[in-house]
């Protein structure tokens, strides 16, 4: 039976999960989008329930996904387009939404290779930027992304959406800045901090070997404490009037320079 009322108690509960306090209290999050749900399944995320709207035009782009959800024994409910519009974060949703356990990523869970490439981001505010960096880290083959002094919530459905599900494919950790710096140094990673105040260009430094590339919030950059403990500071040359790039664009430039050098 299809759920057609936005006043349905289960629908109201799903809407509440849009709020961080509710997600934190219940240890749950929402994953929207067929590609994102598929990646979560591949990563072994124990999905709790699925809320589907087959009437939406883009739903059919994932012909095998419903069968995979059913084989996993996950409860499925169908909802009307009006109800799904109430639940969706995307402007043009595809009719796929699941409830999953919230991510609780820790430094202890990370397993790095001998010569790791790690992206570190400090005090990032916008879910879209964090999601974009996860997507870039996945594409560049980074071995981990570490969030310092998190402002945005890694379980924010907008992070999941902006990452296109890479939040489930990239090894992830969240911890305070001081703890992260100690952890990186204890493992022999050289910390390369991006800051407009640096004298060296990012293309002029050696990004091979065990490296952690660090970027900070667009308005304030990396904290003074982080910069003071970094091994090296680099800048991205800019000739325009705007004094900074979008943080996700900066992260992409730095990561792919490291990939180029390592090749």
């Amino acid at each position: 039976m299809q759920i057609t009322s936005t006043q349905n108690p289960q629908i109201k509960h799903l809407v509440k999960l849009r709020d961080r306090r509710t997600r934190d209290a219940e240890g749950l999050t929402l994953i929207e989008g067929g590609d994102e749900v598929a990646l979560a399944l591949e990563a072994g995320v124990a999905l709790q329930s699925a809320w589907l709207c087959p009437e939406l035009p883009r739903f059919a782009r994932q012909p095998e996904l419903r069968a995979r959800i059913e084989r996993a024994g996950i409860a499925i409910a169908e909802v009307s387009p009006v109800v799904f519009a109430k639940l969706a974060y995307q402007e043009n949703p595809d009719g796929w939404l699941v409830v999953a356990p919230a991510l609780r990523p820790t430094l202890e869970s990370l397993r790095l290779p001998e010569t790791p490439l790690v992206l570190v981001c400090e005090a990032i505010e916008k879910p879209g930027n964090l999601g974009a960096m996860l997507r870039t880290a996945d594409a560049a083959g980074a071995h981990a992304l570490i969030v310092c002094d998190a402002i945005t919530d890694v379980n924010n459905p907008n992070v999941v959406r902006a990452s296109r599900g890479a939040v489930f494919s990239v090894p992830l950790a969240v911890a305070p800045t001081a703890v992260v710096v100690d952890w990186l140094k204890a493992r022999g990673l050289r910390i390369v901090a991006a800051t407009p105040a640096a004298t060296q260009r990012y293309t002029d430094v050696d990004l091979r070997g065990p490296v952690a590339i660090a970027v900070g919030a667009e308005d304030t950059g990396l904290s003074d404490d982080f910069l003071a403990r970094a091994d090296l500071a680099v800048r991205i040359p800019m000739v325009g009037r705007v004094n900074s790039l979008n943080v996700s664009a900066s992260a992409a430039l730095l990561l792919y320079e490291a990939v180029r050098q390592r090749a």
Side-chain angles (χ1 to χ4, degrees), residues 73-258:
I74 299 159
I76 295 176
E78 290 192 7
V79 303
S80 68
V82 170
V83 171
F84 201 89
K86 181 77 172 179
L87 302 176
Y89 276 73
Q90 301 182 33
E91 290 184 5
N92 184 26
D94 62 5
W96 298 91
L97 180 79
V98 299
V99 178
L103 296 170
R104 295 286 185 256
T106 64
L107 290 169
E108 291 71 27
S109 67
L110 295 181
R111 298 292 180 268
L112 300 181
E114 184 176 346
T115 311
L117 173 60
V118 174
L119 177 62
V120 180
C121 53
E122 184 186 39
I124 302 301
E125 296 181 7
K126 297 178 181 178
N129 282 337
L130 180 54
M133 284 188 283
L134 280 160
R135 193 172 174 182
T136 298
D138 178 77
H143 299 106
L145 186 148
I146 301 175
V147 182
C148 298
D149 293 348
I151 295 176
T152 192
D153 169 22
V154 296
N155 289 293
N156 187 313
N158 280 322
V159 172
V160 179
R161 180 178 60 83
S163 78
R164 294 298 298 273
V167 68
F168 305 114
S169 61
V170 176
L172 181 65
V174 179
T177 290
V179 174
V180 169
V181 173
D182 287 343
W183 189 88
L184 293 170
K185 287 184 174 291
R187 284 154 183 79
L189 275 78
R190 192 161 51 110
I191 301 174
V192 179
T195 171
T199 57
Q200 285 188 294
R201 297 187 180 201
Y202 75 105
T203 51
D204 295 335
V205 301
D206 187 353
L207 297 176
R208 297 169 296 177
V211 169
I213 294 171
V215 295
E218 291 176 23
D219 55 346
T220 58
L222 289 164
S223 66
D224 291 340
D225 290 343
F226 200 110
L227 290 171
R229 299 190 63 192
D231 298 290
L232 186 65
V234 298
R235 67 181 176 89
I236 298 171
M238 287 174 285
V239 297
R241 291 188 172 185
V242 179
N243 65 358
S244 69
L245 288 170
N246 176 282
V247 65
S248 62
S250 298
L253 286 170
L254 293 161
L255 275 179
Y256 271 95
E257 173 61 17

Side-chain angles (χ1 to χ4, degrees), residues 62-83:
Q62 295 280 356
E64 302 297 327
L65 185 53
R66 180 166 187 154
R68 291 174 60 190
I69 293 173
E70 290 173 344
R71 286 196 297 271
I74 299 159
I76 295 176
E78 290 192 7
V79 303
S80 68
V82 170
V83 171

